[in-house]
Amino acid sequence: MNSLIGTYECKVDAKGRLMLPAALKKQLSPVLQNGFVLKRAVFQPCLELYPMEEWEALMQRINKLNRFKKKNNDFIRRFTAGVKVVEIDATGRLLIPKDLVVFADISKGIVLSAAVNIVEIWDKDKYEQAIDDATVDFADLAEEVMGQDDEAHGLS
């Protein structure tokens, strides 16, 4: 799957359903029929929507962890807590389970933010706060993550 692109504002109804924006649905069209996994994010109060093949690739990595090490077992348990298999219905809607709505503190306005191979689902206010909070540190973060001289990967 190619990298996903875009940030989209939309609404969620009282039952936790959201209509995927047409531009995002089009990008996801090659993987729509395979379903998705929805989970709590590790570092932020948002949700992560994984296309099934991306989730399975991640699970292959996690499955290689030695489960006889307590920290690995603890990580697996917490990483997979609240994981749900979800589908996009024929009208392009996604149902967010109630426990995940509560975790991400999702109200009416939400933001769907493409994050390379997954989609983050944020409460709109929390998303804006996270972006504002990160602005101060982003230049330093960009330099640290992307600024190394790495001839092998064409980064400079």
Side-chain angles (χ1 to χ4, degrees):
M1 186 176 87
N2 293 330
S3 296
L4 299 168
I5 299 171
T7 301
Y8 310 89
E9 290 187 21
C10 51
K11 304 249 184 258
V12 64
D13 69 14
K15 294 181 180 178
R17 293 178 299 200
L18 67 95
M19 180 69 70
L20 277 185
L24 184 57
K25 186 177 176 187
K26 183 177 180 183
Q27 291 178 65
L28 291 170
S29 64
V31 297
L32 279 177
Q33 71 282 357
N34 298 332
F36 297 84
V37 170
L38 188 62
K39 70 174 289 303
R40 303 170 186 179
V42 174
F43 299 109
Q44 297 290 338
C46 69
L47 304 176
E48 296 172 337
L49 182 68
Y50 286 79
M52 192 58 74
E53 73 179 39
E54 297 292 335
W55 178 255
E56 288 171 355
L58 181 58
M59 287 297 98
Q60 286 178 358
R61 288 182 57 202
I62 288 176
N63 201 34
K64 292 177 183 172
L65 295 173
N66 181 347
R67 292 188 182 194
F68 285 97
K69 290 186 177 179
K70 184 181 182 319
K71 70 179 179 181
N72 292 354
N73 232 8
D74 292 347
F75 168 78
I76 292 167
R77 181 179 316 105
R78 293 184 66 191
F79 184 79
T80 58
V83 169
K84 304 281 192 290
V85 173
V86 295
E87 293 183 3
I88 310 298
D89 71 15
T91 61
R93 292 182 308 184
L94 169 72
L95 174 65
I96 303 173
K98 187 73 174 160
D99 62 319
L100 296 178
V101 168
V102 170
F103 169 82
D105 199 19
I106 290 174
S107 56
K108 193 171 180 94
I110 61 173
V111 172
L112 303 178
S113 178
V116 186
N117 60 346
I118 66 170
V119 177
E120 293 180 341
I121 302 174
W122 289 82
D123 175 78
K124 185 177 187 299
D125 293 338
K126 292 205 176 309
Y127 178 78
E128 290 173 357
Q129 184 65 49
I131 294 299
D132 288 346
D133 290 349
T135 301
V136 176
D137 303 324
F138 187 66
D140 292 338
L141 179 62
E143 181 179 15
E144 184 178 334
V145 172
M146 298 298 289
Q148 288 81 21
D149 292 329
D150 188 349
E151 299 292 325
H153 294 94
L155 299 174
S156 59

